[in-house]
Amino acid sequence: MELHDVWFVVIAVLWTGYFFLEGFDFGVGVLTKLLARNRVEKRVLINTIGPVWDGNEVWLLTAGGATFAAFPDWYATLFSGFYLPLLLILVCLIVRGVAFEYRAKRPEERWQHNWEQAIFWTSLIPAFLWGVAFGNIVRGVKIDASKEYVGTLFDLLNPYALLGGLVTLTLFTFHGAVFTALKTVGDIRVRARKLALTLGLVTAALALGFLSWTQFSRGDGTSLVAMAVAVVALVGAVGAIKAGREGWSFALSGITIAAAVAMLFLTLFPNVMPSSLNPDWSLTVTNSASSPYTLKIMSWCAAIATPLVLLYQGWTYWVFRKRIGTQHIADAAH
């Protein structure tokens, strides 16, 4: 296996980690409006992800940086062609971070309500747009012989990509509901289970349609295996949450995300961005990669730094592993 193939796999793993971790905190952000009945319950939901949400976003930064360094042509075409949706995602992530930090700075109800609205929308919009973006990458976009995107914003709003957006939105919200049930106690935990069951059924229907569409249009034997794993894991996650086994359900919903991302990258390889104008103009792991020397240096850096990052993030989750409830919210009146 060549180094550019290795880095294609590494980038796929980074996106898998990002969607697994950021997926549930996007979901929790959406649940602040769907599940929480009052301000205290919203604080419970926000506190479940408070210690970890910023660490989860490191995976996005690493995935973007790895793409820039390992496949500069892919990075350039992707971020220029998808400029507006990616800019909107970036703005949402910035506002979302500010909302988490500033929401409790003042006790006024209007102040906190406005930041809670920001948390909801800046969680929902990226959760949807990431599916739209990856749907377009897999489907293929208008790339010319100069490796430049020549389409428009409306070309990105096609049925396949929009279905992909609905899948990521519902899947992340389901993932977040399972995480909420895993991390809380009391009535909010019971309601999170019930909502997760409903969300799981909706997600299963949408995901089956999207993954089947992907398989029939671009798939092969290996992608079919990944699709089967994703579907079985999602059904298992729904069954586990119905049985009250939140830990198993969370693990299985994570496997669903990992298998679905694996399927998308398997259908891409050896392309990284297929051209819908001419297959010969597609960006591949070979024609968009950096020099072998660059990839070699990156490999050594990744081999040293990655275990340290994983150990630190794992320790963070271990420290904040206990469940919380409304009774743990100090000064609940504010």
Side-chain angles (χ1 to χ4, degrees):
M1 181 180 287
E2 300 290 337
L3 276 179
H4 50 67
D5 298 329
V6 172
W7 275 97
F8 179 83
V9 175
V10 170
I11 289 171
V13 171
L14 291 172
W15 280 110
T16 300
Y18 175 67
F19 287 144
F20 175 80
L21 296 172
E22 189 83 311
F24 72 73
D25 70 45
F26 279 149
V28 171
V30 174
L31 292 175
T32 57
K33 186 175 287 291
L34 299 183
L35 180 65
R37 291 177 173 173
N38 51 53
R39 182 138 295 126
V40 176
E41 290 189 351
K42 289 182 180 180
R43 288 183 64 182
V44 171
L45 290 176
I46 293 171
N47 286 358
T48 62
I49 60 174
V52 298
W53 68 267
D54 49 353
N56 294 344
E57 292 187 354
V58 170
W59 289 78
L60 173 61
L61 299 175
T62 308
T67 304
F68 172 77
F71 301 99
D73 288 335
W74 182 13
Y75 181 92
T77 303
L78 175 64
F79 280 79
S80 59
F82 293 19
Y83 180 80
L84 287 178
L86 292 179
L87 177 63
L88 181 56
I89 290 174
L90 178 61
V91 170
C92 285
L93 294 180
I94 292 171
V95 173
R96 187 168 179 265
V98 173
F100 283 133
E101 297 297 333
Y102 276 74
R103 177 191 168 277
K105 295 297 183 182
R106 291 169 57 180
E108 290 89 349
E109 182 175 350
R110 183 175 181 83
W111 171 272
Q112 295 190 2
H113 173 75
N114 289 338
W115 287 120
E116 289 162 0
Q117 289 287 105
I119 291 172
F120 171 75
W121 287 109
T122 56
S123 298
L124 184 148
I125 293 172
F128 175 75
L129 288 181
W130 280 126
V132 174
F134 271 83
N136 278 292
I137 292 173
V138 173
R139 175 179 177 267
V141 292
K142 294 180 178 179
I143 300 174
D144 64 13
S146 301
K147 301 180 182 180
E148 295 183 1
Y149 178 74
V150 293
T152 66
L153 175 63
F154 296 103
D155 291 325
L156 304 179
L157 304 178
N158 55 80
Y160 175 78
L162 293 175
L163 177 58
L166 291 176
V167 170
T168 52
L169 175 59
T170 55
L171 179 56
F172 291 168
T173 308
F174 168 69
H175 196 41
V178 174
F179 178 78
T180 300
L182 180 65
K183 286 286 294 178
T184 57
V185 294
D187 181 59
I188 194 170
R189 176 187 178 189
V190 175
R191 286 187 281 114
R193 282 184 191 170
K194 293 180 180 179
L195 182 58
L197 182 59
T198 302
L199 288 168
L201 296 175
V202 174
T203 302
L206 292 172
L208 182 60
F210 178 73
L211 296 179
S212 298
W213 193 342
T214 304
Q215 178 63 30
F216 287 133
S217 61
R218 302 189 61 87
D220 56 16
T222 54
S223 63
L224 181 60
V225 172
M227 173 183 169
V229 171
V231 172
V232 171
L234 182 54
V235 172
V238 174
I241 197 65
K242 184 178 181 181
R245 303 296 297 271
E246 296 103 338
W248 280 105
S249 182
F250 183 71
L252 288 168
S253 64
I255 292 173
T256 301
I257 293 172
V261 174
M263 180 187 179
L264 296 182
F265 276 88
L266 285 169
T267 58
L268 269 179
F269 188 81
N271 294 323
V272 293
M273 281 191 77
S275 172
S276 60
L277 300 178
N278 187 333
D280 294 334
W281 297 343
S282 298
L283 299 181
T284 68
V285 293
T286 54
N287 68 15
S288 62
S290 293
S291 68
Y293 181 75
T294 300
L295 296 177
K296 185 177 180 179
I297 296 298
M298 290 174 60
S299 299
W300 280 108
C301 293
I304 296 171
T306 302
L308 298 176
V309 173
L310 291 176
L311 285 172
Y312 175 77
Q313 193 161 25
W315 176 76
T316 302
Y317 276 91
W318 175 256
V319 169
F320 296 100
R321 66 189 181 278
K322 292 184 178 180
R323 296 177 183 266
I324 63 173
T326 54
Q327 68 270 29
H328 299 115
I329 302 299
D331 190 17
H334 297 295

mmCIF file of all heavy atoms in Angstrom, residues 255-299:
data_model
loop_
_atom_site.group_PDB
_atom_site.id
_atom_site.type_symbol
_atom_site.label_atom_id
_atom_site.label_comp_id
_atom_site.label_asym_id
_atom_site.label_seq_id
_atom_site.Cartn_x
_atom_site.Cartn_y
_atom_site.Cartn_z
ATOM 1 N N ILE A 255 -20.997 2.382 16.064
ATOM 2 C CA ILE A 255 -20.618 1.459 14.990
ATOM 3 C C ILE A 255 -21.386 1.786 13.710
ATOM 4 O O ILE A 255 -20.838 1.701 12.603
ATOM 5 C CB ILE A 255 -20.871 0.002 15.421
ATOM 6 C CG1 ILE A 255 -19.905 -0.385 16.549
ATOM 7 C CG2 ILE A 255 -20.717 -0.960 14.244
ATOM 8 C CD1 ILE A 255 -20.187 -1.741 17.160
ATOM 9 N N THR A 256 -22.635 2.180 13.856
ATOM 10 C CA THR A 256 -23.425 2.589 12.683
ATOM 11 C C THR A 256 -22.755 3.742 11.955
ATOM 12 O O THR A 256 -22.607 3.729 10.727
ATOM 13 C CB THR A 256 -24.846 3.007 13.112
ATOM 14 O OG1 THR A 256 -25.487 1.921 13.772
ATOM 15 C CG2 THR A 256 -25.670 3.431 11.910
ATOM 16 N N ILE A 257 -22.356 4.765 12.711
ATOM 17 C CA ILE A 257 -21.690 5.922 12.111
ATOM 18 C C ILE A 257 -20.393 5.500 11.442
ATOM 19 O O ILE A 257 -20.102 5.882 10.300
ATOM 20 C CB ILE A 257 -21.436 7.000 13.176
ATOM 21 C CG1 ILE A 257 -22.768 7.583 13.668
ATOM 22 C CG2 ILE A 257 -20.534 8.109 12.635
ATOM 23 C CD1 ILE A 257 -22.637 8.525 14.846
ATOM 24 N N ALA A 258 -19.585 4.685 12.137
ATOM 25 C CA ALA A 258 -18.299 4.251 11.591
ATOM 26 C C ALA A 258 -18.487 3.442 10.308
ATOM 27 O O ALA A 258 -17.771 3.642 9.316
ATOM 28 C CB ALA A 258 -17.544 3.429 12.630
ATOM 29 N N ALA A 259 -19.452 2.531 10.297
ATOM 30 C CA ALA A 259 -19.676 1.694 9.114
ATOM 31 C C ALA A 259 -20.219 2.518 7.953
ATOM 32 O O ALA A 259 -19.857 2.284 6.793
ATOM 33 C CB ALA A 259 -20.639 0.557 9.451
ATOM 34 N N ALA A 260 -21.086 3.484 8.245
ATOM 35 C CA ALA A 260 -21.634 4.321 7.180
ATOM 36 C C ALA A 260 -20.545 5.185 6.552
ATOM 37 O O ALA A 260 -20.474 5.323 5.322
ATOM 38 C CB ALA A 260 -22.759 5.199 7.731
ATOM 39 N N VAL A 261 -19.675 5.767 7.399
ATOM 40 C CA VAL A 261 -18.565 6.565 6.861
ATOM 41 C C VAL A 261 -17.627 5.672 6.055
ATOM 42 O O VAL A 261 -17.150 6.055 4.976
ATOM 43 C CB VAL A 261 -17.806 7.268 7.996
ATOM 44 C CG1 VAL A 261 -16.563 7.979 7.459
ATOM 45 C CG2 VAL A 261 -18.715 8.273 8.698
ATOM 46 N N ALA A 262 -17.350 4.473 6.570
ATOM 47 C CA ALA A 262 -16.493 3.531 5.839
ATOM 48 C C ALA A 262 -17.084 3.207 4.477
ATOM 49 O O ALA A 262 -16.364 3.132 3.465
ATOM 50 C CB ALA A 262 -16.301 2.258 6.656
ATOM 51 N N MET A 263 -18.402 3.033 4.430
ATOM 52 C CA MET A 263 -19.039 2.728 3.151
ATOM 53 C C MET A 263 -18.849 3.867 2.155
ATOM 54 O O MET A 263 -18.545 3.641 0.973
ATOM 55 C CB MET A 263 -20.529 2.463 3.356
ATOM 56 C CG MET A 263 -21.269 2.144 2.073
ATOM 57 S SD MET A 263 -23.049 2.022 2.272
ATOM 58 C CE MET A 263 -23.539 1.670 0.580
ATOM 59 N N LEU A 264 -19.019 5.098 2.618
ATOM 60 C CA LEU A 264 -18.867 6.242 1.715
ATOM 61 C C LEU A 264 -17.443 6.336 1.177
ATOM 62 O O LEU A 264 -17.235 6.565 -0.020
ATOM 63 C CB LEU A 264 -19.238 7.535 2.447
ATOM 64 C CG LEU A 264 -20.699 7.671 2.900
ATOM 65 C CD1 LEU A 264 -20.921 9.019 3.571
ATOM 66 C CD2 LEU A 264 -21.663 7.487 1.739
ATOM 67 N N PHE A 265 -16.456 6.133 2.038
ATOM 68 C CA PHE A 265 -15.067 6.213 1.579
ATOM 69 C C PHE A 265 -14.707 5.022 0.695
ATOM 70 O O PHE A 265 -13.891 5.150 -0.227
ATOM 71 C CB PHE A 265 -14.119 6.317 2.768
ATOM 72 C CG PHE A 265 -13.947 7.724 3.276
ATOM 73 C CD1 PHE A 265 -14.801 8.245 4.232
ATOM 74 C CD2 PHE A 265 -12.943 8.534 2.773
ATOM 75 C CE1 PHE A 265 -14.656 9.548 4.691
ATOM 76 C CE2 PHE A 265 -12.785 9.843 3.212
ATOM 77 C CZ PHE A 265 -13.637 10.354 4.180
ATOM 78 N N LEU A 266 -15.296 3.859 0.953
ATOM 79 C CA LEU A 266 -15.039 2.699 0.093
ATOM 80 C C LEU A 266 -15.602 2.920 -1.308
ATOM 81 O O LEU A 266 -15.004 2.498 -2.303
ATOM 82 C CB LEU A 266 -15.656 1.443 0.708
ATOM 83 C CG LEU A 266 -14.914 0.851 1.909
ATOM 84 C CD1 LEU A 266 -15.767 -0.211 2.597
ATOM 85 C CD2 LEU A 266 -13.572 0.271 1.474
ATOM 86 N N THR A 267 -16.759 3.572 -1.396
ATOM 87 C CA THR A 267 -17.328 3.848 -2.718
ATOM 88 C C THR A 267 -16.528 4.930 -3.455
ATOM 89 O O THR A 267 -16.550 4.984 -4.683
ATOM 90 C CB THR A 267 -18.794 4.297 -2.605
ATOM 91 O OG1 THR A 267 -18.881 5.462 -1.777
ATOM 92 C CG2 THR A 267 -19.665 3.203 -2.011
ATOM 93 N N LEU A 268 -15.822 5.771 -2.696
ATOM 94 C CA LEU A 268 -14.998 6.815 -3.313
ATOM 95 C C LEU A 268 -13.705 6.254 -3.904
ATOM 96 O O LEU A 268 -13.328 6.590 -5.033
ATOM 97 C CB LEU A 268 -14.641 7.874 -2.282
ATOM 98 C CG LEU A 268 -15.555 9.087 -2.107
ATOM 99 C CD1 LEU A 268 -15.021 9.982 -1.011
ATOM 100 C CD2 LEU A 268 -15.679 9.858 -3.415
ATOM 101 N N PHE A 269 -12.995 5.452 -3.132
ATOM 102 C CA PHE A 269 -11.642 5.018 -3.488
ATOM 103 C C PHE A 269 -11.600 4.356 -4.866
ATOM 104 O O PHE A 269 -12.470 3.552 -5.196
ATOM 105 C CB PHE A 269 -11.132 4.035 -2.428
ATOM 106 C CG PHE A 269 -9.684 3.675 -2.591
ATOM 107 C CD1 PHE A 269 -8.696 4.524 -2.132
ATOM 108 C CD2 PHE A 269 -9.319 2.494 -3.222
ATOM 109 C CE1 PHE A 269 -7.362 4.196 -2.278
ATOM 110 C CE2 PHE A 269 -7.992 2.162 -3.377
ATOM 111 C CZ PHE A 269 -7.011 3.013 -2.907
ATOM 112 N N PRO A 270 -10.602 4.703 -5.719
ATOM 113 C CA PRO A 270 -9.429 5.545 -5.461
ATOM 114 C C PRO A 270 -9.667 7.030 -5.706
ATOM 115 O O PRO A 270 -8.726 7.811 -5.664
ATOM 116 C CB PRO A 270 -8.411 5.000 -6.454
ATOM 117 C CG PRO A 270 -9.240 4.600 -7.628
ATOM 118 C CD PRO A 270 -10.521 4.059 -7.049
ATOM 119 N N ASN A 271 -10.904 7.428 -5.982
ATOM 120 C CA ASN A 271 -11.209 8.853 -6.126
ATOM 121 C C ASN A 271 -11.289 9.505 -4.745
ATOM 122 O O ASN A 271 -11.573 8.842 -3.740
ATOM 123 C CB ASN A 271 -12.542 9.047 -6.848
ATOM 124 C CG ASN A 271 -12.504 8.570 -8.281
ATOM 125 O OD1 ASN A 271 -11.496 8.717 -8.969
ATOM 126 N ND2 ASN A 271 -13.592 7.980 -8.746
ATOM 127 N N VAL A 272 -11.077 10.799 -4.725
ATOM 128 C CA VAL A 272 -11.371 11.580 -3.530
ATOM 129 C C VAL A 272 -12.483 12.590 -3.820
ATOM 130 O O VAL A 272 -13.230 12.960 -2.909
ATOM 131 C CB VAL A 272 -10.115 12.301 -3.000
ATOM 132 C CG1 VAL A 272 -9.095 11.292 -2.493
ATOM 133 C CG2 VAL A 272 -9.482 13.208 -4.049
ATOM 134 N N MET A 273 -12.588 13.030 -5.068
ATOM 135 C CA MET A 273 -13.725 13.833 -5.528
ATOM 136 C C MET A 273 -13.993 13.487 -6.987
ATOM 137 O O MET A 273 -13.274 13.950 -7.880
ATOM 138 C CB MET A 273 -13.449 15.342 -5.394
ATOM 139 C CG MET A 273 -13.610 15.887 -3.992
ATOM 140 S SD MET A 273 -13.591 17.704 -3.931
ATOM 141 C CE MET A 273 -15.249 18.082 -4.507
ATOM 142 N N PRO A 274 -15.001 12.655 -7.244
ATOM 143 C CA PRO A 274 -15.307 12.297 -8.632
ATOM 144 C C PRO A 274 -15.844 13.493 -9.410
ATOM 145 O O PRO A 274 -16.547 14.349 -8.862
ATOM 146 C CB PRO A 274 -16.388 11.214 -8.488
ATOM 147 C CG PRO A 274 -16.326 10.782 -7.067
ATOM 148 C CD PRO A 274 -15.857 11.956 -6.279
ATOM 149 N N SER A 275 -15.517 13.559 -10.683
ATOM 150 C CA SER A 275 -16.052 14.593 -11.559
ATOM 151 C C SER A 275 -17.289 14.054 -12.273
ATOM 152 O O SER A 275 -17.256 12.969 -12.858
ATOM 153 C CB SER A 275 -15.006 15.013 -12.598
ATOM 154 O OG SER A 275 -15.584 15.891 -13.556
ATOM 155 N N SER A 276 -18.359 14.810 -12.210
ATOM 156 C CA SER A 276 -19.584 14.415 -12.909
ATOM 157 C C SER A 276 -19.547 14.830 -14.381
ATOM 158 O O SER A 276 -20.415 14.431 -15.156
ATOM 159 C CB SER A 276 -20.799 15.050 -12.228
ATOM 160 O OG SER A 276 -20.707 16.467 -12.235
ATOM 161 N N LEU A 277 -18.538 15.632 -14.765
ATOM 162 C CA LEU A 277 -18.415 16.066 -16.161
ATOM 163 C C LEU A 277 -17.648 15.040 -16.999
ATOM 164 O O LEU A 277 -18.020 14.766 -18.141
ATOM 165 C CB LEU A 277 -17.709 17.420 -16.229
ATOM 166 C CG LEU A 277 -18.397 18.579 -15.504
ATOM 167 C CD1 LEU A 277 -17.556 19.853 -15.620
ATOM 168 C CD2 LEU A 277 -19.794 18.819 -16.077
ATOM 169 N N ASN A 278 -16.591 14.508 -16.427
ATOM 170 C CA ASN A 278 -15.763 13.540 -17.133
ATOM 171 C C ASN A 278 -14.998 12.724 -16.084
ATOM 172 O O ASN A 278 -14.257 13.310 -15.287
ATOM 173 C CB ASN A 278 -14.787 14.255 -18.067
ATOM 174 C CG ASN A 278 -14.010 13.295 -18.958
ATOM 175 O OD1 ASN A 278 -13.791 12.139 -18.599
ATOM 176 N ND2 ASN A 278 -13.575 13.772 -20.110
ATOM 177 N N PRO A 279 -15.151 11.396 -16.059
ATOM 178 C CA PRO A 279 -14.447 10.586 -15.053
ATOM 179 C C PRO A 279 -12.934 10.791 -15.075
ATOM 180 O O PRO A 279 -12.276 10.654 -14.032
ATOM 181 C CB PRO A 279 -14.820 9.150 -15.436
ATOM 182 C CG PRO A 279 -16.106 9.278 -16.187
ATOM 183 C CD PRO A 279 -16.028 10.580 -16.912
ATOM 184 N N ASP A 280 -12.394 11.128 -16.240
ATOM 185 C CA ASP A 280 -10.941 11.340 -16.335
ATOM 186 C C ASP A 280 -10.493 12.602 -15.601
ATOM 187 O O ASP A 280 -9.291 12.774 -15.354
ATOM 188 C CB ASP A 280 -10.514 11.426 -17.803
ATOM 189 C CG ASP A 280 -10.711 10.108 -18.543
ATOM 190 O OD1 ASP A 280 -10.695 9.057 -17.867
ATOM 191 O OD2 ASP A 280 -10.892 10.134 -19.772
ATOM 192 N N TRP A 281 -11.427 13.488 -15.287
ATOM 193 C CA TRP A 281 -11.097 14.726 -14.579
ATOM 194 C C TRP A 281 -11.266 14.586 -13.065
ATOM 195 O O TRP A 281 -11.088 15.572 -12.325
ATOM 196 C CB TRP A 281 -11.960 15.876 -15.084
ATOM 197 C CG TRP A 281 -11.736 16.201 -16.532
ATOM 198 C CD1 TRP A 281 -10.676 15.834 -17.302
ATOM 199 C CD2 TRP A 281 -12.601 16.965 -17.385
ATOM 200 N NE1 TRP A 281 -10.809 16.319 -18.565
ATOM 201 C CE2 TRP A 281 -11.993 17.016 -18.665
ATOM 202 C CE3 TRP A 281 -13.826 17.598 -17.215
ATOM 203 C CZ2 TRP A 281 -12.561 17.681 -19.752
ATOM 204 C CZ3 TRP A 281 -14.403 18.263 -18.286
ATOM 205 C CH2 TRP A 281 -13.776 18.301 -19.540
ATOM 206 N N SER A 282 -11.589 13.411 -12.593
ATOM 207 C CA SER A 282 -11.793 13.197 -11.164
ATOM 208 C C SER A 282 -10.484 13.355 -10.401
ATOM 209 O O SER A 282 -9.400 13.043 -10.917
ATOM 210 C CB SER A 282 -12.356 11.793 -10.911
ATOM 211 O OG SER A 282 -13.617 11.631 -11.519
ATOM 212 N N LEU A 283 -10.593 13.837 -9.170
ATOM 213 C CA LEU A 283 -9.438 13.888 -8.281
ATOM 214 C C LEU A 283 -9.287 12.523 -7.621
ATOM 215 O O LEU A 283 -10.248 11.961 -7.090
ATOM 216 C CB LEU A 283 -9.635 14.957 -7.216
ATOM 217 C CG LEU A 283 -9.797 16.404 -7.699
ATOM 218 C CD1 LEU A 283 -9.950 17.338 -6.508
ATOM 219 C CD2 LEU A 283 -8.620 16.824 -8.550
ATOM 220 N N THR A 284 -8.082 11.989 -7.647
ATOM 221 C CA THR A 284 -7.812 10.666 -7.102
ATOM 222 C C THR A 284 -6.730 10.753 -6.025
ATOM 223 O O THR A 284 -6.127 11.816 -5.826
ATOM 224 C CB THR A 284 -7.354 9.701 -8.208
ATOM 225 O OG1 THR A 284 -6.061 10.104 -8.677
ATOM 226 C CG2 THR A 284 -8.326 9.707 -9.372
ATOM 227 N N VAL A 285 -6.461 9.633 -5.381
ATOM 228 C CA VAL A 285 -5.436 9.611 -4.349
ATOM 229 C C VAL A 285 -4.045 9.814 -4.935
ATOM 230 O O VAL A 285 -3.111 10.159 -4.200
ATOM 231 C CB VAL A 285 -5.478 8.281 -3.563
ATOM 232 C CG1 VAL A 285 -6.754 8.172 -2.745
ATOM 233 C CG2 VAL A 285 -5.319 7.088 -4.493
ATOM 234 N N THR A 286 -3.904 9.607 -6.223
ATOM 235 C CA THR A 286 -2.591 9.786 -6.852
ATOM 236 C C THR A 286 -2.408 11.179 -7.439
ATOM 237 O O THR A 286 -1.377 11.815 -7.216
ATOM 238 C CB THR A 286 -2.376 8.733 -7.957
ATOM 239 O OG1 THR A 286 -3.474 8.774 -8.877
ATOM 240 C CG2 THR A 286 -2.272 7.337 -7.361
ATOM 241 N N ASN A 287 -3.414 11.691 -8.182
ATOM 242 C CA ASN A 287 -3.201 12.976 -8.845
ATOM 243 C C ASN A 287 -3.450 14.184 -7.939
ATOM 244 O O ASN A 287 -3.250 15.325 -8.360
ATOM 245 C CB ASN A 287 -4.051 13.075 -10.121
ATOM 246 C CG ASN A 287 -5.541 13.155 -9.840
ATOM 247 O OD1 ASN A 287 -5.986 13.406 -8.733
ATOM 248 N ND2 ASN A 287 -6.337 12.914 -10.883
ATOM 249 N N SER A 288 -3.899 13.954 -6.710
ATOM 250 C CA SER A 288 -4.130 15.086 -5.805
ATOM 251 C C SER A 288 -3.242 15.015 -4.563
ATOM 252 O O SER A 288 -3.364 15.860 -3.668
ATOM 253 C CB SER A 288 -5.595 15.123 -5.370
ATOM 254 O OG SER A 288 -5.948 13.957 -4.646
ATOM 255 N N ALA A 289 -2.350 14.044 -4.497
ATOM 256 C CA ALA A 289 -1.545 13.828 -3.296
ATOM 257 C C ALA A 289 -0.301 14.699 -3.269
ATOM 258 O O ALA A 289 0.199 15.155 -4.304
ATOM 259 C CB ALA A 289 -1.152 12.357 -3.188
ATOM 260 N N SER A 290 0.217 14.901 -2.064
ATOM 261 C CA SER A 290 1.495 15.589 -1.895
ATOM 262 C C SER A 290 2.637 14.657 -2.286
ATOM 263 O O SER A 290 2.438 13.479 -2.609
ATOM 264 C CB SER A 290 1.657 16.026 -0.437
ATOM 265 O OG SER A 290 0.727 17.016 -0.096
ATOM 266 N N SER A 291 3.846 15.167 -2.210
ATOM 267 C CA SER A 291 5.023 14.372 -2.564
ATOM 268 C C SER A 291 5.227 13.245 -1.553
ATOM 269 O O SER A 291 4.797 13.350 -0.388
ATOM 270 C CB SER A 291 6.262 15.263 -2.591
ATOM 271 O OG SER A 291 6.567 15.703 -1.281
ATOM 272 N N PRO A 292 5.864 12.158 -1.958
ATOM 273 C CA PRO A 292 6.144 11.060 -1.011
ATOM 274 C C PRO A 292 6.910 11.502 0.223
ATOM 275 O O PRO A 292 6.664 10.986 1.325
ATOM 276 C CB PRO A 292 6.957 10.077 -1.860
ATOM 277 C CG PRO A 292 6.530 10.350 -3.270
ATOM 278 C CD PRO A 292 6.274 11.827 -3.323
ATOM 279 N N TYR A 293 7.822 12.456 0.067
ATOM 280 C CA TYR A 293 8.593 12.932 1.212
ATOM 281 C C TYR A 293 7.681 13.615 2.232
ATOM 282 O O TYR A 293 7.804 13.395 3.444
ATOM 283 C CB TYR A 293 9.681 13.896 0.756
ATOM 284 C CG TYR A 293 10.539 14.413 1.876
ATOM 285 C CD1 TYR A 293 11.503 13.603 2.472
ATOM 286 C CD2 TYR A 293 10.376 15.715 2.351
ATOM 287 C CE1 TYR A 293 12.287 14.073 3.516
ATOM 288 C CE2 TYR A 293 11.162 16.194 3.395
ATOM 289 C CZ TYR A 293 12.108 15.372 3.969
ATOM 290 O OH TYR A 293 12.873 15.834 5.002
ATOM 291 N N THR A 294 6.757 14.449 1.746
ATOM 292 C CA THR A 294 5.803 15.113 2.636
ATOM 293 C C THR A 294 4.966 14.095 3.385
ATOM 294 O O THR A 294 4.760 14.201 4.601
ATOM 295 C CB THR A 294 4.891 16.054 1.834
ATOM 296 O OG1 THR A 294 5.676 17.048 1.184
ATOM 297 C CG2 THR A 294 3.871 16.725 2.739
ATOM 298 N N LEU A 295 4.463 13.099 2.672
ATOM 299 C CA LEU A 295 3.635 12.071 3.297
ATOM 300 C C LEU A 295 4.436 11.269 4.322
ATOM 301 O O LEU A 295 3.890 10.858 5.358
ATOM 302 C CB LEU A 295 3.063 11.144 2.231
ATOM 303 C CG LEU A 295 2.103 11.799 1.219
ATOM 304 C CD1 LEU A 295 1.673 10.786 0.178
ATOM 305 C CD2 LEU A 295 0.892 12.395 1.921
ATOM 306 N N LYS A 296 5.710 11.054 4.047
ATOM 307 C CA LYS A 296 6.551 10.318 4.983
ATOM 308 C C LYS A 296 6.734 11.097 6.284
ATOM 309 O O LYS A 296 6.628 10.530 7.389
ATOM 310 C CB LYS A 296 7.912 10.030 4.342
ATOM 311 C CG LYS A 296 8.830 9.169 5.190
ATOM 312 C CD LYS A 296 10.129 8.873 4.451
ATOM 313 C CE LYS A 296 11.054 8.006 5.293
ATOM 314 N NZ LYS A 296 12.322 7.698 4.568
ATOM 315 N N ILE A 297 7.020 12.397 6.174
ATOM 316 C CA ILE A 297 7.170 13.237 7.369
ATOM 317 C C ILE A 297 5.862 13.271 8.169
ATOM 318 O O ILE A 297 5.858 13.165 9.404
ATOM 319 C CB ILE A 297 7.587 14.664 6.977
ATOM 320 C CG1 ILE A 297 8.971 14.656 6.326
ATOM 321 C CG2 ILE A 297 7.572 15.584 8.199
ATOM 322 C CD1 ILE A 297 10.084 14.168 7.224
ATOM 323 N N MET A 298 4.734 13.396 7.467
ATOM 324 C CA MET A 298 3.432 13.407 8.136
ATOM 325 C C MET A 298 3.179 12.103 8.878
ATOM 326 O O MET A 298 2.608 12.094 9.985
ATOM 327 C CB MET A 298 2.317 13.640 7.111
ATOM 328 C CG MET A 298 2.270 15.034 6.526
ATOM 329 S SD MET A 298 1.026 15.133 5.220
ATOM 330 C CE MET A 298 -0.462 14.693 6.117
ATOM 331 N N SER A 299 3.602 11.003 8.286
ATOM 332 C CA SER A 299 3.374 9.694 8.904
ATOM 333 C C SER A 299 4.120 9.572 10.228
ATOM 334 O O SER A 299 3.574 9.069 11.225
ATOM 335 C CB SER A 299 3.808 8.582 7.948
ATOM 336 O OG SER A 299 3.055 8.628 6.744
#
